[in-house]
Amino acid sequence: MLSAGWPLLRLMTTGVPTADSAAIRLRLRQHARGALLGLALGDALGATVEFMTPREIAATHGCHAQIRGGGWLRLAPGAVTDDTGMALALADAWLLNAHAPAAEDYARAFDAWMRSKPVDIGHTVRRALLRFRQTGQACVPPSDEAGNGATMRCAPLALVLLGAPPDTLATATLAQARVTHHNALTDAATLTVVNMVQAGLHAGGTPAGIRAVMAQAHLLAQRFPLFRFRTRPVMNPSAYIVDSLRVVLQAIDLHDSFEGALIEAVNRGGDADTTGAITGAIMGALLGEAALPERWLKALAPAVRQRCGEAADALVARSPAWRRA
């Protein structure tokens, strides 16, 4: 089990503007919006090919690069799944509370989302939230089940706690994760994704920012060799967090562009909405809203686009980094 003292690399801030407060806040806002909109775009793009193999994707779509809906959930074009739904629920846990949320606040927010009858919900998440309803306990027991459901939704924490002490960030990250998932590999992956998103937010698409993002990935691989990603490409990943995150890290390692990384991730098939969502959050934070393909943004459901943008604005405006700008 990881403690709240999971080591964080000191973020490189070379390239952060030294202009006035308004300019710094504008940059933070653009990259925060990139993170949440990027998550939704990856979710919507990947949902079409979720549970397909790379060979099936190629036979059906060639290179899958358009947000078109469909898939096993028969989604409308631009619709999203539980990845975006739970991320927005996590955002609500902060935005609907004047205080910093406790584990019970996260559990209530996720439970409210489940009560809204979402189009999709993972078995681990459903089981944990039913347990919360019955017992009031907001932390599931440690488990050998290392799923990706806690990691797919974690990006809002990176925004609202940008500039917070590392222990504060780690404690909040693990509290939300363990409402549904309690496993050392899931803990490590979720902390790493939060740190990668924050590295992107701090330094943007500068060389220093790219190095800071990838430094977090290498730190994870050093501590947990199962996550080594400079190996043979992972195809048809399951919901096992090691498979999912190795796809994400390989896609980001191979591509400098938001579009290239997302297309790489989702065309690996398997749990493609989740690998797409995590890749989109990291690359969107790194490159900012302006780097998101306009054709994909136009294809995203308008209500989802609006909610993600508004949530990103509100979350980063509550962050310590924003207040210090």
Side-chain angles (χ1 to χ4, degrees), residues 283-307:
M283 291 298 288
L286 177 65
L287 300 175
E289 184 179 14
L292 309 183
E294 185 60 30
R295 75 182 191 283
W296 286 355
L297 287 170
K298 288 180 178 178
L300 192 63
V304 173
R305 182 174 179 177
Q306 180 177 351
R307 256 201 98 189

Side-chain angles (χ1 to χ4, degrees), residues 50 79 112 115 125 136 158 161 188 235 246 250:
E50 186 181 12
R115 291 178 188 276
V125 169
L161 292 175
M235 299 294 182
R246 286 179 65 214
Q250 287 175 351

Side-chain angles (χ1 to χ4, degrees), residues 41-257:
L41 290 176
D43 183 4
L45 184 69
T48 302
V49 295
E50 186 181 12
F51 301 139
M52 296 175 69
T53 67
R55 182 173 295 180
E56 290 169 339
I57 294 170
T60 305
H61 302 292
C63 177
H64 174 55
Q66 300 298 330
I67 292 177
R68 53 169 60 95
W72 76 277
L73 290 169
R74 300 180 181 176
L75 296 175
V80 292
T81 74
D82 54 340
D83 301 76
T84 305
M86 293 204 79
L88 291 171
L90 179 58
D92 285 344
W94 281 85
L95 300 178
L96 300 180
N97 285 293
H99 60 276
E104 292 76 14
D105 297 307
Y106 295 130
R108 282 190 286 269
F110 297 149
D111 186 52
W113 166 78
M114 187 167 77
R115 291 178 188 276
S116 73
K117 301 187 185 303
V119 66
D120 185 29
I121 181 169
H123 296 304
T124 302
V125 169
R126 183 188 299 276
R127 185 169 62 246
L129 295 179
L130 290 175
R131 178 179 180 274
F132 170 69
R133 289 182 190 177
Q134 294 164 0
T135 68
Q137 295 177 7
C139 178
V140 295
S143 169
D144 292 335
E145 187 175 356
N148 58 20
T151 310
M152 71 187 189
R153 65 187 185 229
C154 68
L157 284 177
L159 276 55
V160 74
L161 292 175
L162 185 67
D167 283 353
T168 299
L169 179 65
T171 298
T173 298
L174 296 181
Q176 76 82 21
R178 291 174 179 175
V179 172
T180 56
H181 296 70
H182 194 163
N183 177 277
L185 294 174
T186 297
D187 287 349
T190 307
L191 287 162
T192 295
V193 170
V194 168
N195 293 338
M196 292 177 80
V197 170
Q198 285 205 343
L201 292 169
H202 269 288
T206 65
I210 295 168
R211 290 195 298 271
V213 167
M214 292 310 299
Q216 297 293 336
H218 290 299
L219 176 60
L220 175 68
Q222 290 166 12
R223 290 292 302 271
F224 292 87
L226 283 172
F227 287 103
R228 287 175 179 164
F229 54 93
R230 287 185 172 169
T231 59
R232 186 173 63 182
V234 177
M235 299 294 182
N236 198 30
S238 69
Y240 176 44
I241 188 57
V242 172
D243 288 347
S244 299
L245 200 60
R246 286 179 65 214
V247 167
V248 171
L249 298 181
Q250 287 175 351
I252 293 172
D253 199 34
L254 288 170
H255 297 275
D256 294 331
S257 72

